[in-house]
Coordinates of all heavy atoms in Angstrom, one line a residue:
Y16 N -21.0 6.7 -5.8 CA -19.5 6.5 -5.5 C -19.3 5.5 -4.4 O -18.4 4.7 -4.4 CB -18.8 7.8 -5.4 CG -17.3 7.6 -5.5 CD1 -16.7 7.1 -6.6 CD2 -16.5 7.8 -4.3 CE1 -15.2 7.0 -6.7 CE2 -15.1 7.7 -4.4 CZ -14.5 7.3 -5.6 OH -13.2 7.0 -5.6
T24 N -14.1 -2.9 -2.3 CA -13.5 -3.2 -1.0 C -14.6 -4.0 -0.3 O -15.1 -3.6 0.7 CB -13.2 -1.9 -0.3 OG1 -12.6 -0.9 -1.2 CG2 -12.2 -2.1 0.9
I27 N -15.3 -4.5 3.7 CA -15.8 -3.4 4.5 C -17.4 -3.3 4.3 O -17.8 -3.2 3.2 CB -15.1 -2.0 4.2 CG1 -13.6 -2.2 4.2 CG2 -15.6 -0.9 5.1 CD1 -13.1 -2.5 5.6
G34 N -18.8 7.9 0.6 CA -18.8 8.1 -0.8 C -18.2 9.4 -1.3 O -18.6 10.0 -2.2
V39 N -11.6 14.8 -3.9 CA -12.2 15.6 -2.9 C -11.6 15.5 -1.6 O -11.3 16.4 -0.8 CB -13.7 15.4 -2.9 CG1 -14.3 16.3 -1.8 CG2 -14.4 15.7 -4.2
R41 N -8.6 14.5 -1.0 CA -7.2 15.0 -1.1 C -7.4 16.6 -0.9 O -6.6 17.2 -0.2 CB -6.6 14.8 -2.4 CG -6.2 13.4 -2.6 CD -5.3 13.1 -3.8 NE -5.0 11.7 -4.0 CZ -4.2 10.9 -3.3 NH1 -3.5 11.6 -2.4 NH2 -3.9 9.7 -3.5
N45 N -5.7 18.8 2.1 CA -4.9 20.0 1.8 C -5.3 21.2 2.7 O -4.6 21.9 3.2 CB -4.9 20.3 0.3 CG -4.0 19.4 -0.5 OD1 -3.1 18.7 0.0 ND2 -4.4 19.3 -1.8
N54 N -4.8 17.6 14.1 CA -4.3 16.8 15.2 C -5.3 16.1 15.9 O -5.2 14.8 16.3 CB -3.4 17.6 16.2 CG -2.0 17.9 15.6 OD1 -1.5 17.1 14.8 ND2 -1.5 19.1 15.9
H71 N -7.3 10.3 6.8 CA -6.2 10.1 7.7 C -4.9 9.7 7.0 O -3.9 10.2 7.2 CB -6.6 8.9 8.7 CG -5.8 8.9 10.0 ND1 -6.2 9.0 11.2 CD2 -4.4 8.9 10.1 CE1 -5.2 8.9 12.1 NE2 -4.1 8.9 11.4
Y94 N -5.2 0.1 12.6 CA -6.6 0.3 12.3 C -6.8 0.2 10.8 O -8.0 0.3 10.4 CB -7.0 1.6 12.9 CG -7.0 1.7 14.4 CD1 -6.0 2.4 15.1 CD2 -7.9 1.0 15.2 CE1 -5.9 2.4 16.5 CE2 -7.9 1.1 16.5 CZ -6.9 1.7 17.2 OH -6.9 1.8 18.6
K107 N 6.2 11.4 1.2 CA 7.4 11.9 0.4 C 8.6 12.0 1.3 O 9.7 11.9 0.8 CB 7.0 13.1 -0.3 CG 5.9 13.0 -1.2 CD 6.0 11.9 -2.3 CE 4.9 11.9 -3.3 NZ 5.1 10.7 -4.2
L110 N 11.8 9.7 1.0 CA 12.9 9.9 0.0 C 14.1 10.4 0.6 O 15.3 10.1 0.0 CB 12.4 10.9 -1.1 CG 11.3 10.4 -2.1 CD1 10.7 11.5 -2.9 CD2 11.9 9.4 -3.0
K111 N 14.1 11.1 1.7 CA 15.2 11.7 2.3 C 15.8 10.9 3.5 O 16.8 11.2 4.1 CB 14.9 13.1 2.9 CG 14.4 14.1 1.9 CD 14.1 15.5 2.6 CE 13.7 16.5 1.5 NZ 13.2 17.7 2.2
H125 N 7.2 -8.0 8.9 CA 7.1 -9.1 9.9 C 6.0 -8.9 11.0 O 6.0 -9.6 12.0 CB 8.5 -9.4 10.5 CG 9.5 -9.9 9.6 ND1 10.5 -9.1 9.0 CD2 9.6 -11.1 8.9 CE1 11.2 -9.8 8.2 NE2 10.7 -11.0 8.1
L139 N 8.8 -0.9 0.2 CA 9.9 -1.5 -0.4 C 9.8 -1.5 -1.9 O 10.8 -1.2 -2.7 CB 10.1 -2.9 0.0 CG 11.4 -3.6 -0.2 CD1 12.5 -2.9 0.5 CD2 11.3 -5.2 0.1
M140 N 8.6 -1.7 -2.5 CA 8.4 -1.6 -3.9 C 8.5 -0.2 -4.5 O 9.1 0.1 -5.5 CB 7.0 -2.2 -4.2 CG 6.7 -2.1 -5.7 SD 5.1 -2.9 -6.1 CE 3.9 -1.8 -5.3
K149 N 18.7 -3.7 -3.9 CA 19.6 -4.7 -3.5 C 19.0 -6.1 -3.7 O 17.8 -6.2 -3.4 CB 20.2 -4.5 -2.1 CG 21.1 -3.3 -1.9 CD 21.6 -3.2 -0.5 CE 22.5 -2.0 -0.3 NZ 23.0 -2.0 1.1
S157 N 10.1 -12.6 -0.9 CA 9.8 -14.0 -1.2 C 9.8 -15.0 0.0 O 9.1 -16.0 -0.1 CB 10.8 -14.5 -2.3 OG 12.1 -14.7 -1.7
M168 N -1.3 -10.8 -2.6 CA -1.5 -9.9 -3.9 C -0.3 -8.9 -3.9 O 0.2 -8.6 -5.0 CB -2.9 -9.2 -3.8 CG -4.0 -10.1 -4.5 SD -3.7 -10.5 -6.2 CE -3.8 -8.9 -7.0
I170 N 2.7 -9.2 -2.6 CA 4.0 -9.8 -2.9 C 4.0 -10.1 -4.4 O 5.0 -9.8 -5.0 CB 4.0 -11.2 -2.1 CG1 4.1 -11.0 -0.6 CG2 5.2 -12.0 -2.7 CD1 4.0 -12.3 0.2
A177 N 9.2 -5.7 -9.9 CA 10.6 -6.1 -9.9 C 11.0 -6.6 -11.3 O 12.1 -6.2 -11.8 CB 11.0 -7.0 -8.8
W182 N 14.9 -7.0 -14.0 CA 14.6 -8.3 -14.6 C 15.7 -9.3 -14.4 O 15.3 -10.4 -14.0 CB 14.5 -8.1 -16.2 CG 14.4 -9.4 -16.9 CD1 15.4 -10.2 -17.4 CD2 13.2 -10.2 -17.2 NE1 15.0 -11.3 -18.0 CE2 13.6 -11.3 -17.8 CE3 11.8 -10.0 -16.9 CZ2 12.7 -12.3 -18.3 CZ3 10.9 -11.0 -17.3 CH2 11.4 -12.1 -18.0
S184 N 17.7 -9.8 -12.1 CA 17.7 -10.3 -10.7 C 16.4 -11.1 -10.4 O 16.4 -12.2 -10.0 CB 17.9 -9.3 -9.7 OG 19.2 -8.7 -9.8
K201 N 0.4 -15.6 -9.8 CA -0.2 -14.2 -9.9 C 0.9 -13.2 -10.2 O 0.6 -12.3 -10.9 CB -0.8 -13.9 -8.5 CG -1.5 -12.5 -8.4 CD -2.6 -12.4 -9.4 CE -3.8 -13.4 -9.1 NZ -5.0 -13.1 -10.0
E215 N 8.8 -11.0 -25.8 CA 9.7 -12.1 -25.7 C 9.8 -12.6 -24.3 O 9.7 -13.8 -24.0 CB 11.1 -11.8 -26.2 CG 12.1 -12.9 -26.1 CD 13.5 -12.3 -26.6 OE1 13.7 -11.2 -27.0 OE2 14.3 -13.2 -26.6
I225 N 3.3 -22.5 -12.8 CA 3.2 -23.7 -12.1 C 1.8 -24.2 -12.3 O 0.8 -23.6 -12.0 CB 3.5 -23.6 -10.6 CG1 4.9 -23.1 -10.4 CG2 3.3 -24.9 -10.0 CD1 5.2 -22.8 -8.9

Side-chain angles (χ1 to χ4, degrees):
Y16 189 67
T24 319
I27 307 299
V39 176
R41 292 191 184 281
N45 287 336
N54 283 325
H71 195 129
Y94 295 105
K107 300 303 182 185
L110 287 167
K111 299 179 180 179
H125 293 105
L139 193 63
M140 179 174 70
K149 291 183 180 180
S157 67
M168 276 296 295
I170 294 172
W182 171 269
S184 297
K201 183 60 69 172
E215 180 182 2
I225 301 174

